[in-house]
């Protein structure tokens, strides 16, 4: 056996050892991540799980229907979000919005939109076959729009790949199943909140006006308002 053959064998063995070592490190890291995430989830306070969605041990997205809130937990963060704060859910592949659903009302009743594209159960196959065949997927992200000034959004990276993956491989199919579960569940939450907000007791306008007139009359009696000012304010109330 010549020297070149020996070098090739040594290189081959070194390559195998490196592959085994890297695989072992990845496995240990994955196990550590799983433990951290599950420990956080199990220690949630006042959270009764109605539905739990996890994917590849990267995160947990859970729903508590009794207390009307969702939980998102990954290795680095933990967020508890009341149903009422969620007004929109979007699914993006790379930089393209594939599906989006938003609330039709805010808490106060102002119109803010509706289903924009796709919708519950409509994500798989949402892109054309030509588009899927040409582009590798580098990012699959679900984004929740929230009524919060400090934290106005929650971005969930279901899949990230620097090299990109093809949309017919198993990793993509597993990821899109997770995406569908999250988007469908959040769509139901948005609809439930909308339905609750539509059923709001109407204000007794006549009672409100009567109260205001009584206040004006007392101010006039005390001399705070002149007769002319009283009449002006009274007309404003009656003309509302």
């Amino acid at each position: 056996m010549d020297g070149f053959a020996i070098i090739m064998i040594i290189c081959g063995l070194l390559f195998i050892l490196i592959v085994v070592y890297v695989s072992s490190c990845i496995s240990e890291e994955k196990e550590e991540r799983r433990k951290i995430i599950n420990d956080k989830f199990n220690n949630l306070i006042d959270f009764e799980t109605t539905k739990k969605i996890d994917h590849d041990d990267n995160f947990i997205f859970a729903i508590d229907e009794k207390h009307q809130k969702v939980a998102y937990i990954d290795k680095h963060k933990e967020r508890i979000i009341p149903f009422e704060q969620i007004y929109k859910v979007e699914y993006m592949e790379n930089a393209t919005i594939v599906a989006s659903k938003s609330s039709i009302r805010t808490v106060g009743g102002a119109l803010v939109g509706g289903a924009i594209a796709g919708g519950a159960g409509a994500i798989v196959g949402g892109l054309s076959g030509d588009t899927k065949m040409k582009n590798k997927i580098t990012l699959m992200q679900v984004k929740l729009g929230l009524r919060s000034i400090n934290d106005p959004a929650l971005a969930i990276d279901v899949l990230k790949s620097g090299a990109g993956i093809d949309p017919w491989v198993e990793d993509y199919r597993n990821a899109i199943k997770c995406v569908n579960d999250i988007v469908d569940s959040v769509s139901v939450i948005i609809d439930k909140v909308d339905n609750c907000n539509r059923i709001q007791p109407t204000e007794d306008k006549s009672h409100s006006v009567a109260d205001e007139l009584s206040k004006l009359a007392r101010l006039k009696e005390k001399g705070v308002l002149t007769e002319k000012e009283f009449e002006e304010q009274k007309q404003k109330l009656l003309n509302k």
Side-chain angles (χ1 to χ4, degrees):
M1 185 179 293
D2 57 23
F4 179 76
I6 294 173
I7 291 174
M8 290 301 294
I9 292 172
I10 293 173
C11 288
L13 290 173
L14 285 173
F15 177 76
I16 292 171
L17 288 173
I18 291 171
V19 170
V20 171
Y21 175 74
V22 170
S23 298
S24 175
C25 290
I26 292 173
S27 179
E28 288 178 5
E29 182 184 356
K30 190 173 182 179
E31 184 61 35
E32 180 189 4
R33 185 170 64 241
R34 180 193 295 118
K35 184 178 185 305
I36 291 172
I37 293 171
N38 279 285
D39 285 347
K40 286 183 179 181
F41 179 73
N42 293 330
N43 288 325
L44 290 178
I45 299 172
D46 294 329
F47 195 93
E48 297 184 23
T49 306
T50 305
K51 185 173 184 178
K52 180 183 175 186
I53 302 167
D54 52 27
H55 177 64
D56 200 25
D57 302 309
N58 287 320
F59 64 82
I60 292 175
F61 183 86
I63 298 169
D64 178 354
E65 199 163 6
K66 178 180 178 182
H67 297 102
Q68 301 281 289
K69 54 189 177 182
V70 302
Y72 172 79
I73 299 170
D74 62 23
K75 184 178 178 180
H76 303 290
K77 64 184 173 185
E78 171 186 326
R79 289 192 66 178
I80 304 296
I81 304 168
F83 283 4
E84 189 68 32
Q85 280 194 5
I86 305 171
Y87 75 89
K88 181 170 68 172
V89 59
E90 289 180 342
Y91 167 55
M92 298 182 69
E93 283 187 4
N94 298 342
T96 302
I97 297 176
V98 179
S100 177
K101 179 182 178 64
S102 61
S103 171
I104 61 172
R105 292 181 184 275
T106 61
V107 176
L111 291 174
V112 295
I116 298 172
I123 293 175
V124 176
L127 292 176
S128 69
D130 289 341
T131 303
K132 284 191 172 184
M133 292 295 288
K134 290 176 183 176
N135 295 330
K136 285 185 177 291
I137 309 301
T138 57
L139 177 64
M140 300 173 69
Q141 184 182 78
V142 176
K143 186 174 180 180
L144 274 58
L146 306 174
R147 295 185 179 95
S148 170
I149 294 174
N150 294 326
D151 294 299
L154 171 65
I156 304 172
D157 293 339
V158 179
L159 185 146
K160 288 181 74 173
S161 172
I165 63 169
D166 295 309
W168 56 81
V169 300
E170 185 177 0
D171 284 349
Y172 179 86
R173 291 197 297 270
N174 292 336
I176 202 67
K177 182 181 182 301
C178 179
V179 166
N180 272 307
D181 280 348
I182 295 174
V183 173
D184 287 353
S185 299
V186 175
S187 295
V188 171
I189 289 171
I190 290 172
D191 286 340
K192 288 184 70 170
V193 172
D194 278 344
N195 289 334
C196 289
N197 287 338
R198 287 195 195 102
I199 308 171
Q200 295 288 348
T202 56
E203 182 183 2
D204 187 345
K205 187 175 180 180
S206 61
H207 179 70
S208 176
V209 171
D211 285 345
E212 292 300 319
L213 287 172
S214 296
K215 290 177 184 177
L216 289 175
R218 287 196 295 272
L219 290 173
K220 187 183 77 166
E221 289 173 2
K222 293 177 180 179
V224 176
L225 294 177
T226 65
E227 183 68 30
K228 182 179 178 182
E229 290 171 335
F230 170 75
E231 290 298 329
E232 287 176 351
Q233 294 299 322
K234 183 173 78 170
Q235 289 304 315
K236 287 180 181 179
L237 285 171
L238 295 175
N239 290 333
K240 277 187 178 181

